[in-house]
Every structure is written in structure tokens, then in C-alpha cells.
Amino acid sequence: MTKIIAICNQKGGVGKTSTAVSLSSCLAMEGKKCLLIDLDAQGNATSGLGIDKNKIERSVYHALLDQTDLSELAIETCVKDLFIVPSNSHLSGTEVELVGELGREGRLKKALASLDISFDFVIIDCPPSLGLLTVNALTGAHSVIIPMQCEYYALEGLSQLMKPINLIKDNLNAR
């Protein structure tokens, strides 16, 4: 069974993308087939794996809006067994475009359900917010990793993050 892990924190600059890229790369180097989903409009996980985000024609945006299969969007990277569903600035308007849609918080979960089962791991790099994209990631994930800095305000932010995580667990994703 594919293990789906969201890397999330509403605070920027805490190492979400570095953790997502490093973890997915290490898993692939250990022989696990891994898919990294770049769910951040900044596209740093995409560029971090050597892909020019400005030349991307189809991205995670198309999975969320057009309901294109994630398998069709996955690009092979320079790391054997590591694939990425890239992101770019097109993703920035997704929350506005989905605002009136029913089931908008489950778009990624639906896309993940139809994913090629040959992947051992799916790692989701979340944006630095608690918006709809992060809710989609948490709704579709089996677990979450929360990178944080070792400081007082980071701990305060963690308690703020746990409230929406628990709400999502109670209402959208009991896993």
C-alpha cells in the first residue's frame, strides 16, 4: 500500500521543501518508488529537483482543477525511482477558482485514489499556509510531518496548527 505523507507548517522558512525533497530522494535511493507532489505555487520542490518551473505546461494545478490523473502529470527526475508532479505560479489562483466548488477540500484525495499503486511513497510539499491547498494535502495524507525551528514562537505556531489538523481528522480524514 502506498504511504502518503504531507509535509506541512503554516510558517515559511522552516524546511518543508528541503524535508520533502530530501526525504523523497532518500527513499528513492533506498529503492522505494516515490512520488513528490509540489503543492506550493512557489515551485521550489520542482526547481530543487532540476526542473525549470517556468517551462512546465501541466502541473498539480491540472490535477486539482481539471481532475487530470496524477500519473499523467508525473515527471521522472534525475534520481532513479523518484518522480514529481510539478508546480508553478499557475497554482496560486487555485483557492479562488475552487471557492464555489463542492468537495473542493477533497480534490487531491480523489486524485491520489486513482494514482498508480506501484508507488511506495507519496510525499506532499505543502505551501506555508493553512489554506485550501494544505487542507487538500491533509485530507489525502496518511500522516503528516511538521518541520519546525527550535524556538518559542515555533512551538506557539505548532499549537495553532494542531487545531486544523484535528478538525480535518475529525471531519475529512480519520486516517
Side-chain angles (χ1 to χ4, degrees):
M1 185 175 131
T2 304
K3 177 77 172 165
I4 303 169
I5 304 168
I7 313 292
C8 121
N9 192 327
Q10 76 272 23
K11 189 169 179 340
V14 296
K16 290 181 298 294
T17 299
S18 296
T19 300
V21 170
S22 297
L23 179 60
S24 59
S25 296
C26 287
L27 288 167
M29 290 169 43
E30 288 295 317
K32 303 294 184 187
K33 189 171 178 187
C34 196
L35 177 65
L36 174 58
I37 298 176
D38 189 350
L39 205 58
D40 187 347
Q42 295 178 66
N44 291 332
T46 299
S47 59
L49 286 173
I51 297 164
D52 186 347
K53 60 188 171 190
N54 298 314
K55 294 183 179 176
I56 296 297
E57 293 180 20
R58 294 180 352 134
S59 68
V60 69
Y61 171 87
H62 296 92
L64 296 171
L65 273 290
D66 302 334
Q67 298 175 339
T68 304
D69 284 346
L70 287 172
S71 298
E72 292 179 32
L73 300 170
I75 298 172
E76 199 168 351
T77 69
C78 59
V79 179
K80 184 181 181 280
D81 290 327
L82 177 57
F83 298 79
I84 186 167
V85 175
S87 177
N88 57 21
S89 60
H90 295 150
L91 190 61
S92 61
T94 305
E95 296 193 23
V96 174
E97 292 180 59
L98 288 175
V99 74
E101 298 292 321
L102 288 174
R104 63 187 173 269
E105 66 282 336
R107 290 286 183 108
L108 185 59
K109 183 177 184 174
K110 186 176 178 184
L112 289 164
S114 64
L115 188 64
D116 179 356
I117 60 169
S118 68
F119 286 105
D120 297 303
F121 289 91
V122 174
I123 309 297
I124 306 169
D125 182 31
C126 294
S129 74
L130 293 175
L132 185 58
L133 294 174
T134 300
V135 169
N136 263 268
L138 293 171
T139 300
H142 298 127
S143 58
V144 61
I145 295 175
I146 305 169
M148 57 184 282
Q149 297 164 322
C150 295
E151 58 183 38
Y152 175 77
Y153 294 117
L155 202 53
E156 204 173 74
L158 179 63
S159 66
Q160 293 171 357
L161 178 59
M162 292 310 296
K163 289 175 188 173
I165 287 176
N166 288 326
L167 281 172
I168 290 166
K169 187 175 181 181
D170 291 343
N171 297 292
L172 300 170
N173 182 359
R175 295 180 297 180

